Amino acid sequence: MQDIEVYLFLGFLESGKTKFIQETLEDPRMENGQRTMLLVCEEGEEEYIPEKFEVKNVAKVTLESVDELNADNLSSLAQKYGAQRVVAEFNGTWLLQQFFDAMPEDWVIVQMMTFFDSATFLNYNANMRQLVFDKIQMTQMVVFNRFKPEYDKLAFHKIVRGISRRPDIVYEYVGGKAEFDEIEDPLPFDKNAKIIEIEDRDFAWFYRDMAENTSDYIGKTVKFKGMAALSKKAGKDCFILGRHIMTCCEADTAYDGFAVKSGGMLPDVKTRDWVTVTGVIGIEYNSMYRSKGPVIKAVKLEYSDPPEEPVATYY
C-alpha cells in the first residue's frame, strides 16, 4: 500500500492559511497527477476558488466538528475520493495531538507550516499560550502574516525560539514582501568559560542545550543553583539537582535535573533543599537515567536561597 502524503497547515482563524493553500493549489508545480483531498477543519471569511486551481482532481471535504477527526472517518474519506495526497487546513482551537491520533497508518506528514496574524499573535500568546505552543512545537516553518515595519521582530522571535529551535521564521509584510528571520540565538551564558555560570533565569536554556549538545559540556566545570531531590536510583553519595521547568503552561511543568556526585559534601541534604553546585560534567551510567547521561562531580556544594522565580521558563 502506498503512503498518502499529508501537507498540514496550522494556525488560528484568519491567520492566512486559506490564502496560502489557495496559492499553493494554483501553482502548476504542485500538479503531479495525484488525486488530492483538501481537508478543511475550519472555514473563515476567505473561501477557496476551485476554478483557479492548477492542481487537478481536488476534492474539498469539510469537517464540521472534532468528533469527525478519527482514523475510521479519515480512512473512509480518503478511500471515497481515492486520495493520494492530503492538504489539511487544521482548526486553530484543536490540539495537534488530536490530528496525530486520528491519522490512518498510511498517512505520512511531509510538510507542516504554521501561520499567525501578526496583529493578534502577541495577544494570543499572552492569553492562549497552550494553543500557540501547540501550533509551533513541531512545525517546520512559522509565518507571521500582515507584518508591519513598526513591529518588534525580537518579541516574535523569542516566543518561537522559546518553544522550538526547529522552524524557519518568515515575516510576510503588508504588501507581499517576505523576509526570513536572521536573528542569531546566542546562549545566555558562555559555555566556553573556565566555569560556566548559569544564572537562575537561564536554567531552562542550560538544561535544553545540555540535552541537545551534551558532548559540548564533557569535562567542563559548571555552576548553577537547583532544588535537590533524593532518589535511591541516583546511587550512593549522589542526588538529583534541577528545577521545575515550564515549557508551555502551568499544566506542562515538570521537574528536570542532573545526577550530582556529592563526594560526601552536604550529607544531610534533603529533597526540596536549594543547593548551588560547582562541578565537572562527565558522561557515565547512572540508574537515574537508565543509561549513560550527564553526571556532575561536585567540587563545591553549598546551601542557597530559592530563586525569585522557582519555576524556570524559556521566556
Side-chain angles (χ1 to χ4, degrees):
M1 182 181 297
Q2 189 170 359
D3 289 336
I4 295 176
E5 297 178 348
V6 178
Y7 295 79
L8 184 58
F9 299 94
L10 312 172
F12 298 112
L13 198 64
E14 309 303 334
S15 62
K17 301 190 300 292
T18 302
K19 181 176 183 291
F20 184 86
I21 294 171
Q22 174 73 36
E23 292 173 350
T24 299
L25 295 176
E26 289 179 11
D27 189 340
R29 292 172 297 180
M30 285 293 290
E31 172 51 40
N32 58 7
Q34 289 181 316
R35 292 184 295 277
T36 301
M37 182 167 71
L38 175 56
L39 187 68
V40 180
C41 301
E42 67 178 1
E43 293 192 273
E45 292 184 6
E46 184 142 357
E47 297 183 356
Y48 288 102
I49 309 174
E51 54 268 27
K52 289 189 175 182
F53 292 168
E54 287 290 338
V55 174
K56 311 303 179 186
N57 297 319
V58 177
K60 178 174 174 287
V61 178
T62 301
L63 300 187
E64 300 291 347
S65 75
V66 73
D67 294 334
E68 298 178 78
L69 192 67
N70 59 75
D72 289 341
N73 187 41
L74 296 185
S75 291
S76 177
L77 290 170
Q79 185 174 6
K80 177 180 179 180
Y81 296 104
Q84 298 167 296
R85 174 172 60 187
V86 173
V87 176
E89 180 179 355
F90 197 56
N91 190 306
T93 63
W94 299 352
L95 294 177
L96 189 56
Q97 190 60 47
Q98 292 174 293
F99 187 85
F100 293 155
D101 291 342
M103 281 176 55
E105 290 185 3
D106 58 340
W107 286 27
V108 177
I109 294 176
V110 296
Q111 186 177 42
M112 191 184 308
M113 295 178 64
T114 300
F115 296 81
F116 293 108
D117 182 339
S118 300
T120 59
F121 173 71
L122 298 179
N123 187 52
Y124 270 117
N125 183 66
N127 295 288
M128 293 190 289
R129 171 74 182 177
Q130 184 176 7
L131 287 176
V132 170
F133 176 89
D134 183 68
K135 303 304 177 287
I136 293 176
Q137 60 177 326
M138 298 186 67
T139 195
Q140 296 162 320
M141 179 177 287
V142 175
V143 179
F144 290 113
N145 273 317
R146 309 175 189 113
F147 204 79
K148 296 181 180 180
E150 61 265 29
Y151 292 163
D152 180 10
K153 285 183 186 176
L154 189 59
F156 291 74
H157 172 96
K158 282 183 175 180
I159 292 170
V160 175
R161 287 292 174 254
I163 295 170
S164 174
R165 299 185 189 183
R166 178 199 308 259
D168 290 325
I169 303 173
V170 178
Y171 305 100
E172 177 127 1
Y173 288 84
V174 176
K177 175 188 172 184
E179 186 176 72
F180 275 86
D181 182 288
E182 295 182 352
I183 299 173
E184 294 186 9
D185 287 298
L187 290 167
F189 51 86
D190 181 4
K191 64 181 182 182
N192 293 314
K194 184 176 180 180
I195 298 178
I196 306 170
E197 296 199 38
I198 310 300
E199 299 291 337
D200 294 339
R201 64 179 179 272
D202 301 327
F203 181 82
W205 289 101
F206 168 62
Y207 183 83
R208 175 189 282 181
D209 197 62
M210 175 85 97
E212 294 177 351
N213 303 291
T214 308
S215 61
D216 292 350
Y217 292 89
I218 297 175
K220 294 186 177 181
T221 301
V222 67
K223 178 181 179 181
F224 67 89
K225 180 191 295 183
M227 187 172 68
L230 301 186
S231 171
K232 292 181 179 179
K233 291 182 179 180
K236 185 178 179 182
D237 291 332
C238 195
F239 61 89
I240 303 163
L241 193 65
R243 297 275 297 275
H244 284 93
I245 298 176
M246 183 170 68
T247 304
C248 160
C249 53
E250 189 173 342
D252 192 45
T253 302
Y255 178 84
D256 292 303
F258 306 104
V260 174
K261 283 188 171 181
S262 66
M265 292 182 279
L266 302 188
D268 298 322
V269 68
K270 301 183 294 296
T271 293
R272 296 191 176 277
D273 282 344
W274 285 93
V275 173
T276 296
V277 62
T278 302
V280 179
I281 301 169
I283 299 296
E284 58 184 75
Y285 179 86
N286 188 283
S287 55
M288 182 192 94
Y289 302 122
R290 298 183 182 178
S291 63
K292 287 187 176 181
V295 175
I296 300 171
K297 185 176 181 180
V299 174
K300 183 178 181 180
L301 287 172
E302 53 189 340
Y303 292 110
S304 303
D305 293 327
E308 290 185 11
E309 296 292 339
V311 176
T313 67
Y314 294 100
Y315 54 95

